[in-house]
């Protein structure tokens, strides 16, 4: 891919910025920043979003971000005073405003083999037999030469202790042991056995040495100490290639809570790693040439684009997943990723053929599950495929299975909560959404988790509480048009007419053809009274029925 603007071009294949035909020397971080701004030029990107994309979510100062923006502007002949190419949205973020030309990444065919008859209802128990239409895909034939995806890998070291209390000494081994057991449930991550990683007990051990000896890309280290009558547990995720700390957290407990520490800390750490490692893997993949990307790198690039919930990024995500499948046709998570993009297509009607998108989401979900039935992600997309078919009860069963396989799986908790809201089980919706938010407070779908919790309140008639969460959802980065419609409904029900009109205009600006049907096709609320109440609000504020 080459993006051209003004006298400059960004060449992603060779990782070069060229201006007036000459290569401009810039830091890799500045290059990633420019690529991210250009690829998301249709909207403003927030400071937090840039930090997640460029720094992989690590904590950085405003001055560091400002410095990189200044360097990016200088490299392309712009400045903070002129802002001809990169515009500052004061207090919020930045937007690339120059006209860009470039060949879009083609999306591979999403209809493997011969198309099946589209159906909006299918069996409540998916078949686990091989899917003949998927097997008909040349990339999955007996002639294909699959290149297995190489998973990210991690070692959990014994935690260090700053104390003489026997309970702390026990925890220093017990916590890593519990973490290893929980991490082993994550099908996308290779975890070194305790017998190998616990050889490195010396707190002064060099992380580079650990990486070389155990052949892992990441290490999880920790420290247990007491301070002022409290028990503190510090946990660091470290890149073994350069010793950089990618994520760090301090957990604070009462000594009386020792029996609850393991489960609470493990849930929090696992949820954090579900976010931080894929972000870092995607950042590493963006620095490689397209020819050197393996299936796992393609998958992580697709995963990051998938959560942006807009047509363009969804197409990019599918292209990455399809390339991953070309490299490894038996890569279960890549099949699940394609299913997720088709779910998004059906939800927001990108293609104009909702039944076909539903059918494709189902087929790819089935294939992913067939390849790896104990991966939480393959179970999740099966649940979402049932949601698309209107079978929310069965969808919840699959979400529950995903959550059983990985109790820290925030996406599974959120999906269960959304299905409960649509079934008008408000209390279940709120509880599931709250668990998801607690597990993953920086999740790329946090806006949807907020909105799902708001829906739980709204279906129960708790308008003020629903308004609070619906507004938080609509104001969060990544919120799409359906999230905006929920904020409109909440404000309308609360009698906040100016704010309701604001969200009505916002919805129309995001999508000129927005209708109430878009919401109710995706969220067919089980209670007719709830649907009628919401419909009246949308009509009153200018959103047509269909």
């Amino acid at each position: 891919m080459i993006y051209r603007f003004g006298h400059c071009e960004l060449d992603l294949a060779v990782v070069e910025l060229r201006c007036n035909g000459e290569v401009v020397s810039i830091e890799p971080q500045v290059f990633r920043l420019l690529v991210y701004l250009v690829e998301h030029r249709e909207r403003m990107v927030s400071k937090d979003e840039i930090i997640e994309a460029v720094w992989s979510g690590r904590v950085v100062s405003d001055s560091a971000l400002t410095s990189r923006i200044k360097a990016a502007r200088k490299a392309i002949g712009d400045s903070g005073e002129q802002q001809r190419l990169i515009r500052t949205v004061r207090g919020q973020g930045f937007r690339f405003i120059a006209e860009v030309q470039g060949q879009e990444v083609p999306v591979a065919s999403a209809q493997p083999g011969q198309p099946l008859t589209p159906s909006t209802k299918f069996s409540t128990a998916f078949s686990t037999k091989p899917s003949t239409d998927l097997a008909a895909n040349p990339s999955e034939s007996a002639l294909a030469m699959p290149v297995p995806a190489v998973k990210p890998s991690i070692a959990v070291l014994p935690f260090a202790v700053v104390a003489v209390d026997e309970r702390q000494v026990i925890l220093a081994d017990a916590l890593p042991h519990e973490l290893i057991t929980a991490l082993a449930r994550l099908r996308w991550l290779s975890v070194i056995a305790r017998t190998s990683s616990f050889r490195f007990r010396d707190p002064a051990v060099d992380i580079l040495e650990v990486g070389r000896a155990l052949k892992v890309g990441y290490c999880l280290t920790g420290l247990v100490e007491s301070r002022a009558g409290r028990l503190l547990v510090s946990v660091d995720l470290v890149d073994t290639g350069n010793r950089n700390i990618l994520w760090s957290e301090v957990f604070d407990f009462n000594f009386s809570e020792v029996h609850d520490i393991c489960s609470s800390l493990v849930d929090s750490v696992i949820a954090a790693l579900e976010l931080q490692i894929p972000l870092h893997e995607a950042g590493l993949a963006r620095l490689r040439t397209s020819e050197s990307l393996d299936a796992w790198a393609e998958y992580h690039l697709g995963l990051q684009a998938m959560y942006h919930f807009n047509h363009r990024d969804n197409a990019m995500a599918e292209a990455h997943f399809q390339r991953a499948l070309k490299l490894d046709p038996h890569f279960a998570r890549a099949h699940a990723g394609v299913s997720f993009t088709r779910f998004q297509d059906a939800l927001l009607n990108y293609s104009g053929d909702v039944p076909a998108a539903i059918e494709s989401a189902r087929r790819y979900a089935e294939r992913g599950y067939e390849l790896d039935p104990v991966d939480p992600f393959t179970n999740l997309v099966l649940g979402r495929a049932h949601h698309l078919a209107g079978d929310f009860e069965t969808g919840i069963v699959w979400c529950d299975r995903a959550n059983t396989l990985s109790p820290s799986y925030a996406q599974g908790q959120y999906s269960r909560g959304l299905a409960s809201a649509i079934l008008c089980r408000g209390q279940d919706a709120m509880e599931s959404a709250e668990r998801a938010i607690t597990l993953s407070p920086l999740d790329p779908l946090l806006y949807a988790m907020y909105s799902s919790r708001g829906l739980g309140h709204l279906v129960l008639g708790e308008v003020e509480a629903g308004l609070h969460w619906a507004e938080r959802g609509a104001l969060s980065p990544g919120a799409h048009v359906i999230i905006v419609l929920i904020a409109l409904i909440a404000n309308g029900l609360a009698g906040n007419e100016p704010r309701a009109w604001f969200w009505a205009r916002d919805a129309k600006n995001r999508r000129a053809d927005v209708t109430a049907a878009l919401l109710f096709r995706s969220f067919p609320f089980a209670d007719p009274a709830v649907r009628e109440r919401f419909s009246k609000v949308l009509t009153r504020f200018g959103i047509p029925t269909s």
Side-chain angles (χ1 to χ4, degrees):
M1 170 71 77
I2 298 179
Y3 292 111
R4 296 182 177 86
F5 51 90
H7 60 286
C8 298
E9 55 185 25
L10 282 169
D11 191 332
L12 274 59
V14 295
V15 194
E16 280 185 356
L17 168 66
R18 297 184 289 270
C19 295
N20 294 318
E22 299 291 329
V23 175
V24 178
S25 177
I26 59 173
E27 296 178 1
Q29 211 169 53
V30 177
F31 185 86
R32 292 202 302 270
L33 171 61
L34 277 171
V35 170
Y36 195 79
L37 289 173
V38 169
E39 290 188 337
H40 297 81
R41 59 192 178 276
E42 77 282 355
R43 60 182 177 86
M44 179 207 79
V45 292
S46 68
K47 294 180 179 180
D48 289 343
E49 188 178 343
I50 293 173
I51 289 170
E52 284 190 9
V54 178
W55 282 270
S56 299
R58 297 196 296 275
V59 176
V60 299
S61 64
D62 284 347
S63 61
L65 175 58
T66 301
S67 171
R68 296 301 185 273
I69 290 289
K70 183 178 180 180
R73 281 176 168 150
K74 182 178 180 181
I76 59 177
D78 198 8
S79 68
E81 292 74 29
Q82 295 176 322
Q83 296 191 17
R84 295 180 298 101
L85 306 176
I86 300 175
R87 176 177 294 168
T88 300
V89 182
R90 187 173 298 277
Q92 298 184 58
F94 303 90
R95 184 175 179 187
F96 197 87
I97 58 174
E99 183 177 346
V100 177
Q101 295 179 337
Q103 182 179 358
E104 293 289 340
V105 177
V107 179
S109 171
Q111 299 294 336
Q114 295 301 315
L116 301 179
T117 303
S119 170
T120 56
K121 273 287 185 181
F122 40 90
S123 168
T124 56
F126 284 122
S127 167
T128 56
K129 296 179 181 179
S131 174
T132 55
D133 62 310
L134 282 165
N137 189 331
S139 70
E140 300 209 23
S141 70
L143 299 176
M145 299 295 290
V147 181
V150 180
K151 300 177 182 178
S153 53
I154 190 169
V156 183
L157 304 188
F159 286 8
V161 182
V162 183
V164 293
D165 190 304
E166 183 180 357
R167 288 174 298 179
Q168 293 166 252
V169 175
I170 293 172
L171 275 175
D173 275 7
L175 287 172
H177 176 75
E178 292 296 325
L179 283 166
I180 289 170
T181 301
L183 285 168
R185 296 175 177 174
L186 304 181
R187 307 291 287 176
W188 56 269
L189 187 64
S190 293
V191 185
I192 297 299
R194 181 180 186 274
T195 51
S196 294
S197 60
F198 271 41
R199 290 167 44 208
F200 296 90
R201 282 191 171 276
D202 184 355
V205 66
D206 188 343
I207 292 298
L208 296 182
E209 178 187 342
V210 175
R212 286 192 295 267
L214 298 179
K215 296 181 173 59
V216 293
Y218 302 93
C219 265
L220 200 66
T221 65
L223 176 69
V224 180
E225 60 181 319
S226 60
R227 189 182 304 166
R230 308 284 295 177
L231 185 66
L232 303 181
V233 182
S234 307
V235 182
D236 294 335
L237 175 67
V238 187
D239 184 335
T240 62
N242 52 24
R243 304 188 188 93
N244 284 345
I245 296 177
L246 306 177
W247 169 79
S248 183
E249 186 64 82
V250 178
F251 300 90
D252 186 344
F253 301 98
N254 284 319
F255 271 103
S256 61
E257 301 171 333
V258 167
H259 61 288
D260 294 325
I261 288 175
C262 275
S263 60
S264 174
L265 182 141
V266 167
D267 283 350
S268 297
V269 171
I270 300 302
L273 299 195
E274 286 260 26
L275 174 65
Q276 299 297 336
I277 291 179
L279 276 174
H280 189 250
E281 290 288 313
L284 294 175
R286 279 195 295 271
L287 293 178
R288 295 160 62 182
T289 63
S290 58
E291 294 79 9
S292 69
L293 293 177
D294 60 16
W296 199 257
E298 291 283 7
Y299 169 78
H300 273 123
L301 288 171
L303 196 67
Q304 191 170 44
M306 180 181 80
Y307 289 125
H308 294 156
F309 266 77
N310 63 65
H311 191 181
R312 183 173 176 277
D313 284 339
N314 196 55
M316 289 177 60
E318 184 178 338
H320 286 299
F321 293 141
Q322 294 285 6
R323 284 197 289 270
L325 289 176
K326 186 175 181 180
L327 292 166
D328 181 3
H330 307 297
F331 191 179
R333 283 212 153 206
H335 283 283
V338 177
S339 178
F340 194 103
T341 63
R342 290 316 171 89
F343 165 85
Q344 192 179 143
D345 182 351
L347 186 75
L348 295 171
N349 194 16
Y350 292 146
S351 65
D353 191 346
V354 172
I358 291 173
E359 178 64 16
S360 185
R362 178 189 67 82
R363 294 203 311 277
Y364 275 99
E366 282 185 323
R367 180 58 171 155
Y369 179 82
E370 176 193 334
L371 290 166
D372 193 345
V374 293
D375 187 318
F377 189 29
T378 63
N379 283 267
L380 175 70
V381 295
L382 270 172
R384 292 207 150 192
H386 278 294
H387 294 175
L388 289 175
D391 188 359
F392 292 94
E393 294 283 6
T394 304
I396 285 178
V397 172
W398 285 102
C399 290
D400 284 344
R401 178 175 159 81
N403 293 328
T404 299
L405 290 166
S406 180
S408 305
Y409 193 34
Q411 295 288 332
Q413 296 289 352
Y414 153 66
S415 295
R416 188 192 198 287
L418 180 59
S420 295
I422 294 168
L423 290 171
C424 296
R425 299 170 186 168
Q427 191 62 39
D428 287 347
M430 290 184 293
E431 291 174 359
S432 294
E434 177 59 25
R435 283 194 293 270
I437 293 165
T438 300
L439 283 170
S440 190
L442 296 176
D443 201 272
L445 289 183
L446 187 61
Y447 64 86
M449 296 173 183
Y450 288 152
S451 187
S452 179
R453 181 166 180 180
L455 271 179
H457 286 289
L458 291 176
V459 299
L460 290 176
E462 300 171 357
V463 174
E464 288 303 319
L467 173 62
H468 169 77
W469 291 104
E471 280 277 322
R472 287 191 70 176
L475 291 170
S476 296
H480 52 76
V481 66
I482 290 179
I483 304 298
V484 169
L485 291 178
I486 293 169
L488 188 168
I489 290 168
N491 278 278
L493 291 173
N496 298 336
E497 295 212 358
R499 192 67 176 167
W501 280 114
F502 168 83
W503 288 122
R505 289 191 297 271
D506 186 84
K508 291 176 180 177
N509 286 337
R510 290 168 183 261
R511 186 159 177 167
D513 64 345
V514 64
T515 63
L518 177 66
L519 173 67
F520 295 129
R521 183 178 60 245
S522 302
F523 296 176
F525 296 101
D527 186 343
V530 169
R531 182 185 177 112
E532 179 66 17
R533 190 162 70 247
F534 290 1
S535 182
K536 286 181 178 178
V537 173
L538 293 174
T539 301
R540 179 153 52 98
F541 290 95
I543 304 299
T545 302
S546 60

